[in-house]
Amino acid sequence: MGPHETKDCPRCNKPFQCKVGNITQCHCFGIQLKSELKIVIEQRYHDCLCADCLKHLLQEMNLFKENYFPK
């Protein structure tokens, strides 16, 4: 894979620019995923997800935890 590659998100099919060669400029930089969510993503999808989908899955995971594992 080259340093910049246009990909289609395997979750929503939206095109995005993957910048694995310059990760600080990549669309996903700064989105912090918990290890359990990383595992789920790796098991369900064959490639990188777009930032919108990553944020949505993170939000879903946080809501699930709040509803089923309240503090």
Coordinates of all heavy atoms in Angstrom, one line a residue:
M1 N 0.8 -1.2 0.0 CA 0.0 0.0 0.0 C 0.9 1.2 0.0 O 1.8 1.3 0.7 CB -0.9 0.0 1.2 CG -1.8 1.2 1.3 SD -3.1 1.1 2.5 CE -2.4 0.6 4.0
G2 N 0.5 2.2 -0.8 CA 1.3 3.4 -0.9 C 1.0 4.3 0.3 O 0.1 4.0 1.2
P3 N 1.7 5.4 0.4 CA 1.5 6.3 1.6 C 0.1 7.0 1.7 O -0.3 7.3 2.7 CB 2.6 7.3 1.4 CG 3.0 7.3 0.0 CD 2.7 5.9 -0.5
H4 N -0.5 7.2 0.5 CA -1.9 7.7 0.5 C -2.7 6.9 -0.5 O -2.3 6.6 -1.6 CB -1.9 9.2 0.0 CG -1.2 10.1 0.9 ND1 0.2 10.2 0.9 CD2 -1.6 11.0 1.8 CE1 0.6 11.1 1.8 NE2 -0.5 11.6 2.4
E5 N -3.8 6.5 0.0 CA -4.7 5.6 -0.8 C -6.1 5.9 -0.6 O -6.6 6.1 0.5 CB -4.4 4.2 -0.4 CG -5.2 3.1 -1.2 CD -4.8 1.7 -0.8 OE1 -3.9 1.5 0.0 OE2 -5.5 0.8 -1.2
T6 N -6.9 6.0 -1.7 CA -8.3 6.2 -1.6 C -9.0 4.9 -1.4 O -8.7 3.9 -2.1 CB -8.9 6.9 -2.8 OG1 -8.3 8.2 -2.9 CG2 -10.4 7.1 -2.7
K7 N -9.8 4.8 -0.3 CA -10.4 3.5 0.0 C -11.9 3.8 0.2 O -12.3 4.9 0.4 CB -9.9 2.9 1.4 CG -8.5 2.5 1.4 CD -8.1 2.0 2.7 CE -6.7 1.4 2.7 NZ -6.4 0.6 3.9
D8 N -12.7 2.7 0.1 CA -14.1 2.7 0.4 C -14.3 2.1 1.7 O -13.8 0.9 1.9 CB -14.9 2.0 -0.7 CG -14.9 2.8 -2.0 OD1 -14.9 4.0 -2.0 OD2 -14.9 2.1 -3.0
C9 N -15.0 2.7 2.6 CA -15.2 2.2 4.0 C -16.0 0.9 3.8 O -17.1 0.9 3.2 CB -16.0 3.2 4.8 SG -16.4 2.6 6.5
P10 N -15.6 -0.2 4.4 CA -16.3 -1.5 4.3 C -17.6 -1.5 5.1 O -18.5 -2.3 4.9 CB -15.3 -2.5 4.9 CG -14.4 -1.8 5.7 CD -14.3 -0.4 5.1
R11 N -17.8 -0.5 6.0 CA -19.1 -0.4 6.7 C -20.1 0.4 6.0 O -21.3 0.1 6.0 CB -18.8 0.2 8.1 CG -20.0 0.2 9.0 CD -19.5 0.6 10.5 NE -20.7 0.6 11.3 CZ -21.4 1.7 11.6 NH1 -21.1 2.9 11.0 NH2 -22.4 1.7 12.4
C12 N -19.7 1.6 5.5 CA -20.7 2.5 4.9 C -20.5 2.8 3.4 O -21.3 3.4 2.8 CB -20.7 3.9 5.6 SG -19.3 4.9 5.3
N13 N -19.4 2.3 2.9 CA -19.0 2.4 1.4 C -18.6 3.8 1.0 O -18.5 4.1 -0.1 CB -20.1 1.9 0.5 CG -20.3 0.4 0.7 OD1 -19.3 -0.3 0.7 ND2 -21.5 0.0 0.7
K14 N -18.5 4.7 2.0 CA -18.1 6.1 1.7 C -16.6 6.1 1.4 O -15.8 5.5 2.1 CB -18.4 7.0 2.9 CG -18.0 8.5 2.7 CD -18.5 9.3 3.8 CE -17.4 9.4 4.9 NZ -17.7 10.3 6.0
P15 N -16.1 6.8 0.3 CA -14.7 6.9 0.1 C -14.0 7.8 1.0 O -14.6 8.8 1.5 CB -14.6 7.4 -1.4 CG -15.9 8.1 -1.6 CD -16.9 7.5 -0.7
F16 N -12.8 7.5 1.4 CA -12.0 8.3 2.3 C -10.5 8.1 1.9 O -10.1 7.2 1.2 CB -12.2 8.0 3.7 CG -11.8 6.6 4.1 CD1 -10.5 6.4 4.7 CD2 -12.6 5.5 4.0 CE1 -10.1 5.1 5.0 CE2 -12.2 4.3 4.4 CZ -10.9 4.1 4.9
Q17 N -9.7 9.1 2.3 CA -8.3 9.0 2.0 C -7.5 8.4 3.2 O -7.5 9.0 4.3 CB -7.8 10.5 1.8 CG -6.4 10.5 1.4 CD -6.2 10.4 -0.2 OE1 -5.2 10.8 -0.6 NE2 -7.1 9.8 -0.9
C18 N -6.9 7.3 3.0 CA -6.1 6.6 4.0 C -4.6 7.1 3.9 O -4.1 7.1 2.8 CB -6.1 5.1 3.9 SG -5.2 4.2 5.1
K19 N -4.1 7.6 4.9 CA -2.7 8.2 4.9 C -1.8 7.4 5.8 O -1.2 8.0 6.7 CB -2.7 9.7 5.2 CG -3.5 10.5 4.2 CD -3.6 11.9 4.5 CE -4.4 12.7 3.4 NZ -4.5 14.1 3.7
V20 N -1.7 6.1 5.6 CA -0.9 5.3 6.5 C 0.6 5.7 6.5 O 1.3 5.6 7.5 CB -1.1 3.8 6.2 CG1 -0.4 3.5 4.9 CG2 -0.5 2.9 7.3
G21 N 1.0 6.3 5.4 CA 2.4 6.8 5.3 C 2.7 8.1 6.1 O 3.8 8.4 6.4
N22 N 1.6 8.7 6.5 CA 1.7 9.9 7.3 C 0.5 9.9 8.3 O -0.4 10.7 8.2 CB 1.7 11.2 6.5 CG 2.0 12.5 7.2 OD1 2.2 12.4 8.5 ND2 2.1 13.6 6.6
I23 N 0.6 9.1 9.3 CA -0.5 8.8 10.2 C -1.1 10.0 10.9 O -2.2 10.1 11.1 CB -0.2 7.7 11.2 CG1 -1.5 7.1 11.8 CG2 0.8 8.1 12.2 CD1 -2.4 6.4 10.9
T24 N -0.2 11.0 11.2 CA -0.7 12.2 11.8 C -1.6 13.1 10.9 O -2.3 13.9 11.4 CB 0.4 13.1 12.4 OG1 1.3 13.5 11.3 CG2 1.3 12.4 13.4
Q25 N -1.6 12.8 9.6 CA -2.5 13.5 8.7 C -3.6 12.6 8.2 O -4.5 13.1 7.4 CB -1.7 13.9 7.4 CG -0.6 14.9 7.7 CD -1.1 16.2 8.3 OE1 -2.0 16.8 7.8 NE2 -0.5 16.6 9.4
C26 N -3.7 11.4 8.8 CA -4.8 10.5 8.4 C -6.1 10.9 9.0 O -6.1 11.5 10.1 CB -4.4 9.1 8.8 SG -5.5 7.8 7.9
H27 N -7.2 10.6 8.4 CA -8.5 11.0 8.9 C -8.8 10.3 10.3 O -9.6 10.9 11.0 CB -9.6 10.5 7.9 CG -9.8 9.0 7.9 ND1 -8.9 8.2 7.4 CD2 -10.8 8.3 8.4 CE1 -9.3 6.9 7.6 NE2 -10.5 7.0 8.2
C28 N -8.2 9.2 10.6 CA -8.5 8.5 11.8 C -7.6 9.0 13.0 O -7.8 8.6 14.1 CB -8.4 7.0 11.6 SG -6.8 6.4 11.3
F29 N -6.6 9.8 12.7 CA -5.7 10.2 13.8 C -6.4 10.9 14.9 O -7.3 11.8 14.6 CB -4.6 11.1 13.2 CG -3.6 11.5 14.2 CD1 -2.6 10.6 14.6 CD2 -3.6 12.7 14.8 CE1 -1.6 10.9 15.6 CE2 -2.6 13.1 15.7 CZ -1.7 12.2 16.1
G30 N -6.2 10.6 16.1 CA -6.8 11.2 17.2 C -8.1 10.5 17.7 O -8.6 10.8 18.8
I31 N -8.6 9.6 17.0 CA -9.8 8.8 17.4 C -9.2 7.7 18.3 O -8.5 6.8 17.8 CB -10.6 8.3 16.3 CG1 -11.1 9.4 15.4 CG2 -11.8 7.4 16.8 CD1 -11.8 8.9 14.1
Q32 N -9.5 7.7 19.6 CA -9.0 6.7 20.5 C -10.0 5.6 20.7 O -11.1 5.9 21.3 CB -8.5 7.4 21.8 CG -7.4 8.4 21.6 CD -6.9 9.0 22.9 OE1 -7.4 8.7 23.9 NE2 -6.0 9.9 22.8
L33 N -9.6 4.4 20.3 CA -10.5 3.3 20.4 C -10.0 2.4 21.5 O -8.8 2.1 21.7 CB -10.6 2.5 19.1 CG -11.0 3.3 17.9 CD1 -10.9 2.4 16.6 CD2 -12.4 3.8 18.0
K34 N -11.0 1.9 22.3 CA -10.6 0.9 23.4 C -10.3 -0.4 22.7 O -10.7 -0.7 21.6 CB -11.8 0.7 24.3 CG -12.3 2.0 24.9 CD -11.6 2.3 26.2 CE -12.3 3.5 26.9 NZ -11.5 4.1 27.8
S35 N -9.5 -1.2 23.4 CA -9.0 -2.5 22.8 C -10.1 -3.4 22.5 O -10.1 -4.1 21.4 CB -8.0 -3.2 23.8 OG -8.6 -3.4 25.0
E36 N -11.2 -3.4 23.3 CA -12.3 -4.3 22.9 C -13.0 -3.9 21.6 O -13.5 -4.7 20.9 CB -13.3 -4.5 24.1 CG -13.9 -3.2 24.7 CD -13.2 -2.6 25.8 OE1 -12.3 -3.2 26.5 OE2 -13.4 -1.5 26.1
L37 N -13.1 -2.6 21.4 CA -13.7 -2.1 20.1 C -12.8 -2.4 18.9 O -13.2 -2.8 17.9 CB -14.0 -0.6 20.2 CG -14.7 -0.1 18.9 CD1 -16.0 -0.8 18.6 CD2 -15.1 1.4 19.1
K38 N -11.5 -2.3 19.1 CA -10.5 -2.7 18.1 C -10.7 -4.1 17.7 O -10.7 -4.5 16.5 CB -9.1 -2.4 18.5 CG -8.7 -1.0 18.6 CD -7.3 -0.8 19.1 CE -6.9 0.6 19.3 NZ -5.5 0.8 19.7
I39 N -10.9 -5.0 18.6 CA -11.1 -6.4 18.4 C -12.3 -6.6 17.6 O -12.3 -7.4 16.6 CB -11.1 -7.2 19.7 CG1 -9.7 -7.2 20.3 CG2 -11.5 -8.7 19.4 CD1 -9.7 -7.7 21.8
V40 N -13.4 -6.0 17.9 CA -14.7 -6.2 17.2 C -14.5 -5.7 15.8 O -14.9 -6.4 14.8 CB -15.8 -5.4 17.9 CG1 -17.1 -5.3 17.0 CG2 -16.1 -6.0 19.2
I41 N -13.9 -4.5 15.6 CA -13.7 -4.0 14.2 C -12.8 -5.0 13.4 O -13.1 -5.3 12.2 CB -13.0 -2.6 14.3 CG1 -14.1 -1.6 14.9 CG2 -12.6 -2.2 12.9 CD1 -13.5 -0.2 15.2
E42 N -11.7 -5.5 14.0 CA -10.9 -6.4 13.3 C -11.6 -7.7 12.9 O -11.3 -8.2 11.8 CB -9.7 -6.7 14.1 CG -8.7 -5.6 14.3 CD -7.6 -5.9 15.3 OE1 -7.5 -7.0 15.9 OE2 -6.7 -5.0 15.5
Q43 N -12.5 -8.1 13.7 CA -13.3 -9.4 13.4 C -14.3 -9.1 12.4 O -14.7 -10.1 11.6 CB -13.9 -9.9 14.7 CG -12.9 -10.5 15.7 CD -13.5 -10.9 17.0 OE1 -14.6 -10.5 17.3 NE2 -12.8 -11.7 17.7
R44 N -14.9 -7.9 12.3 CA -16.0 -7.7 11.4 C -15.6 -7.1 10.0 O -16.3 -7.3 9.0 CB -17.0 -6.7 12.0 CG -17.8 -7.3 13.1 CD -18.9 -6.3 13.6 NE -19.6 -6.9 14.7 CZ -20.4 -6.2 15.4 NH1 -20.7 -4.9 15.1 NH2 -21.1 -6.7 16.4
Y45 N -14.5 -6.4 10.0 CA -14.2 -5.7 8.7 C -12.8 -6.0 8.3 O -11.9 -6.3 9.0 CB -14.3 -4.2 9.0 CG -15.7 -3.8 9.5 CD1 -15.9 -3.5 10.8 CD2 -16.8 -3.7 8.6 CE1 -17.2 -3.1 11.3 CE2 -18.0 -3.4 9.0 CZ -18.2 -3.1 10.4 OH -19.5 -2.8 10.8
H46 N -12.6 -6.1 7.0 CA -11.4 -6.5 6.3 C -10.4 -5.4 6.1 O -9.3 -5.6 5.7 CB -11.7 -7.2 5.0 CG -12.3 -6.3 4.0 ND1 -13.6 -5.9 4.0 CD2 -11.7 -5.6 3.0 CE1 -13.8 -5.1 3.0 NE2 -12.7 -4.8 2.4
D47 N -10.8 -4.1 6.4 CA -9.9 -3.0 6.1 C -10.3 -1.8 7.0 O -11.2 -1.9 7.8 CB -10.1 -2.6 4.6 CG -8.8 -1.9 4.0 OD1 -7.9 -1.6 4.8 OD2 -8.8 -1.7 2.8
C48 N -9.6 -0.7 6.8 CA -9.8 0.5 7.6 C -11.3 1.0 7.4 O -11.8 0.9 6.3 CB -8.9 1.6 7.2 SG -7.2 1.3 7.3
L49 N -11.8 1.6 8.5 CA -13.1 2.2 8.4 C -12.9 3.8 8.3 O -11.9 4.3 8.8 CB -13.9 1.9 9.7 CG -14.2 0.5 10.0 CD1 -15.1 0.3 11.2 CD2 -14.9 -0.2 8.8
C50 N -13.9 4.4 7.8 CA -13.8 5.9 7.7 C -14.0 6.5 9.1 O -14.4 5.8 10.1 CB -14.9 6.5 6.8 SG -16.6 6.3 7.4
A51 N -13.6 7.7 9.3 CA -13.6 8.4 10.6 C -15.0 8.4 11.2 O -15.3 8.2 12.4 CB -13.0 9.7 10.5
D52 N -16.0 8.7 10.3 CA -17.4 8.8 10.7 C -17.9 7.4 11.3 O -18.5 7.4 12.4 CB -18.3 9.2 9.6 CG -18.2 10.6 9.2 OD1 -17.7 11.4 10.0 OD2 -18.6 10.9 8.0
C53 N -17.5 6.3 10.7 CA -17.9 5.0 11.2 C -17.2 4.7 12.5 O -17.8 4.1 13.4 CB -17.7 3.9 10.2 SG -18.9 3.9 8.9
L54 N -15.9 5.0 12.6 CA -15.2 4.8 13.8 C -15.8 5.6 15.0 O -16.0 5.0 16.1 CB -13.7 5.2 13.7 CG -12.8 4.4 12.7 CD1 -11.5 5.0 12.6 CD2 -12.7 3.0 13.3
K55 N -16.1 6.8 14.7 CA -16.8 7.7 15.8 C -18.2 7.1 16.2 O -18.5 7.1 17.3 CB -16.9 9.1 15.3 CG -15.6 9.8 15.2 CD -15.8 11.2 14.6 CE -14.4 11.9 14.3 NZ -14.6 13.1 13.6
H56 N -18.9 6.6 15.2 CA -20.2 6.1 15.4 C -20.1 4.8 16.3 O -20.9 4.6 17.2 CB -20.9 5.8 14.1 CG -22.4 5.4 14.3 ND1 -22.8 4.1 14.2 CD2 -23.5 6.1 14.6 CE1 -24.0 4.0 14.4 NE2 -24.5 5.2 14.7
L57 N -19.2 3.9 15.9 CA -19.0 2.7 16.7 C -18.6 3.0 18.1 O -19.0 2.3 19.1 CB -18.0 1.7 16.0 CG -18.6 1.1 14.7 CD1 -17.4 0.4 14.0 CD2 -19.7 0.2 14.9
L58 N -17.7 4.0 18.3 CA -17.2 4.4 19.6 C -18.4 4.9 20.4 O -18.5 4.5 21.6 CB -16.1 5.4 19.4 CG -15.5 5.9 20.7 CD1 -14.9 4.7 21.5 CD2 -14.4 6.9 20.4
Q59 N -19.2 5.7 19.8 CA -20.4 6.2 20.5 C -21.3 5.1 20.9 O -21.9 5.1 22.0 CB -21.1 7.2 19.6 CG -22.3 7.9 20.2 CD -23.0 8.9 19.3 OE1 -23.0 8.7 18.1 NE2 -23.5 9.9 19.9
E60 N -21.6 4.2 20.0 CA -22.5 3.0 20.3 C -21.9 2.2 21.5 O -22.7 1.8 22.3 CB -22.6 2.1 19.1 CG -23.6 2.6 18.0 CD -23.8 1.6 16.9 OE1 -23.0 0.6 16.8 OE2 -24.7 1.9 16.1
M61 N -20.6 2.0 21.5 CA -20.0 1.2 22.5 C -20.1 2.0 23.9 O -20.5 1.4 24.9 CB -18.5 0.9 22.3 CG -17.9 0.0 23.3 SD -16.1 -0.2 23.0 CE -15.5 1.2 24.0
N62 N -19.9 3.3 23.9 CA -20.1 4.0 25.1 C -21.5 4.0 25.6 O -21.7 3.9 26.8 CB -19.6 5.5 24.9 CG -18.1 5.5 24.7 OD1 -17.4 4.7 25.2 ND2 -17.6 6.6 24.0
L63 N -22.5 4.1 24.7 CA -23.9 4.1 25.1 C -24.2 2.7 25.7 O -25.0 2.6 26.7 CB -24.8 4.4 23.9 CG -24.9 5.9 23.5 CD1 -25.7 6.0 22.2 CD2 -25.4 6.7 24.6
F64 N -23.7 1.7 25.1 CA -24.0 0.3 25.5 C -23.4 0.2 27.0 O -24.1 -0.3 27.8 CB -23.3 -0.7 24.6 CG -23.4 -2.1 25.1 CD1 -24.6 -2.8 24.9 CD2 -22.4 -2.7 25.8 CE1 -24.7 -4.1 25.3 CE2 -22.5 -4.0 26.2 CZ -23.7 -4.7 26.0
K65 N -22.2 0.6 27.2 CA -21.6 0.5 28.5 C -22.4 1.3 29.5 O -22.6 0.9 30.7 CB -20.2 1.0 28.5 CG -19.2 0.0 27.9 CD -17.8 0.5 28.0 CE -16.8 -0.6 27.6 NZ -15.4 -0.1 27.7
E66 N -22.9 2.5 29.1 CA -23.6 3.4 30.1 C -25.0 2.7 30.4 O -25.4 2.8 31.6 CB -23.9 4.7 29.4 CG -22.7 5.6 29.4 CD -23.0 6.9 28.6 OE1 -24.2 7.2 28.4 OE2 -22.1 7.6 28.2
N67 N -25.6 2.0 29.5 CA -26.9 1.4 29.7 C -26.8 0.1 30.4 O -27.7 -0.2 31.2 CB -27.7 1.2 28.4 CG -28.1 2.5 27.8 OD1 -28.5 3.5 28.5 ND2 -28.1 2.7 26.5
Y68 N -25.8 -0.7 30.2 CA -25.7 -2.0 30.7 C -24.7 -2.2 31.9 O -24.7 -3.2 32.6 CB -25.5 -3.0 29.6 CG -26.6 -3.1 28.7 CD1 -26.6 -2.5 27.5 CD2 -27.8 -3.8 29.0 CE1 -27.7 -2.5 26.6 CE2 -28.9 -3.9 28.2 CZ -28.8 -3.2 27.0 OH -29.9 -3.3 26.1
F69 N -23.8 -1.2 32.0 CA -22.8 -1.3 33.0 C -22.7 0.1 33.7 O -21.6 0.7 33.7 CB -21.5 -1.7 32.5 CG -21.5 -3.0 31.8 CD1 -21.6 -3.1 30.4 CD2 -21.5 -4.2 32.5 CE1 -21.6 -4.3 29.8 CE2 -21.6 -5.4 31.9 CZ -21.6 -5.5 30.5
P70 N -23.8 0.6 34.3 CA -23.7 1.9 34.9 C -22.7 1.9 36.1 O -22.5 0.9 36.7 CB -25.1 2.1 35.4 CG -25.8 0.8 35.5 CD -25.0 -0.1 34.5
K71 N -22.2 3.1 36.3 CA -21.2 3.3 37.4 C -21.9 3.3 38.7 O -22.9 3.7 38.9 CB -20.4 4.5 37.2 CG -19.5 4.4 35.9 CD -18.7 5.7 35.8 CE -17.9 5.6 34.5 NZ -17.1 6.7 34.3

